Amino acid sequence: MILVVDLRIVPITPARLGDLDTLFARGDPRTCQCAYLRLTHRDYAHSSPAEHRDLHHRAVRRAARAKRTAGMIAYDDAGPVGWVSIGPRSEFARIVASPVLQPVDDAEVTSVVCFVIAPRARRRGVARALLDAVIAYAAEHGIGLLEAYPVDRGGERAPGAELWRGPRRLYEAAGFTVAATRQANATARPQLIMRRTVP
């Protein structure tokens, strides 16, 4: 893996929403607009990409009014190159409604839910840099516990389209550990819930 050099990572603000639109302009992000986990299955299926975009933009603005951020955006010399979405677990309706992702305990967590990496910068360490930036942001803003819901294929290589939640190894390298392992049924692939305390 060739690491990205001169990567600049900053919290998303309403002023940077145009850069997010640029990053999301192709592939699955163009349709999802980082709204998949913010909506229940039914609501997502009955809404358009434009409505998804509007929902996400409103989430960014709402976070800014609350003096926090809804994610981190990364830039290289050519422009926006990466994104990670974060927020209070309660803001992600699909997680709240999921029987598999029910809370591990009563702890207040900030969820790390989605990565988008520009095609030109994949496999160059952008996701790890974004996750490190989230941990640093959490430490600076009094966030004590991060939670994630990674893809775990048990050593199998996962298709790129499945990696938007991040692979298990990404979180392990950043100090996350498994807090729970859940299955929807006996034949379903296990779903991990991983956590990291922030000193």
Side-chain angles (χ1 to χ4, degrees):
M1 179 172 65
I2 302 173
L3 295 180
V4 173
V5 295
D6 297 328
L7 198 63
R8 183 169 61 97
I9 300 176
V10 296
I12 190 68
T13 64
R16 295 183 183 275
L17 284 170
D19 294 336
L20 208 56
D21 288 341
T22 297
L23 184 63
F24 287 7
R26 57 183 292 181
D28 292 337
R30 179 175 54 195
T31 299
C32 175
Q33 293 288 326
C34 216
Y36 182 77
L37 292 178
R38 292 188 180 277
L39 295 169
T40 63
H41 175 76
R42 177 183 175 83
D43 288 343
Y44 186 84
H46 290 86
S47 54
S48 68
E51 289 170 318
H52 299 163
R53 175 181 177 272
D54 181 61
L55 174 71
H56 191 209
H57 282 208
R58 283 187 278 120
V60 170
R61 294 188 179 100
R62 183 171 61 248
R65 288 194 298 271
K67 307 300 183 187
R68 58 180 176 82
T69 190
M72 310 294 287
I73 187 167
Y75 297 84
D76 66 8
D77 290 343
V81 75
W83 160 254
V84 59
S85 179
I86 64 172
R89 186 185 187 281
S90 59
E91 289 196 353
F92 301 101
R94 192 179 295 254
I95 293 175
V96 171
S98 169
V100 174
L101 295 178
Q102 288 304 294
V104 173
D105 52 32
D106 294 331
E108 183 177 334
V109 301
T110 292
S111 296
V112 183
V113 298
C114 176
F115 290 86
V116 174
I117 310 299
R120 72 175 187 276
R122 289 175 186 163
R123 305 183 66 80
R124 296 178 62 195
V126 176
R128 176 57 197 271
L130 282 163
L131 188 54
D132 287 345
V134 167
I135 294 166
Y137 176 89
E140 292 168 6
H141 291 81
I143 296 170
L145 187 60
L146 296 171
E147 187 172 272
Y149 319 97
V151 176
D152 183 20
R153 298 291 296 264
E156 260 180 64
R157 189 175 181 83
E162 292 185 15
L163 293 177
W164 57 274
R165 287 175 287 140
R168 176 178 183 167
R169 65 182 180 277
L170 171 70
Y171 293 102
E172 287 179 334
F176 285 69
T177 58
V178 176
T181 303
R182 308 269 179 74
Q183 283 181 270
N185 55 60
T187 60
R189 189 179 299 279
Q191 171 62 62
L192 302 182
I193 299 176
M194 298 185 73
R195 285 179 166 183
R196 187 193 195 280
T197 56
V198 181

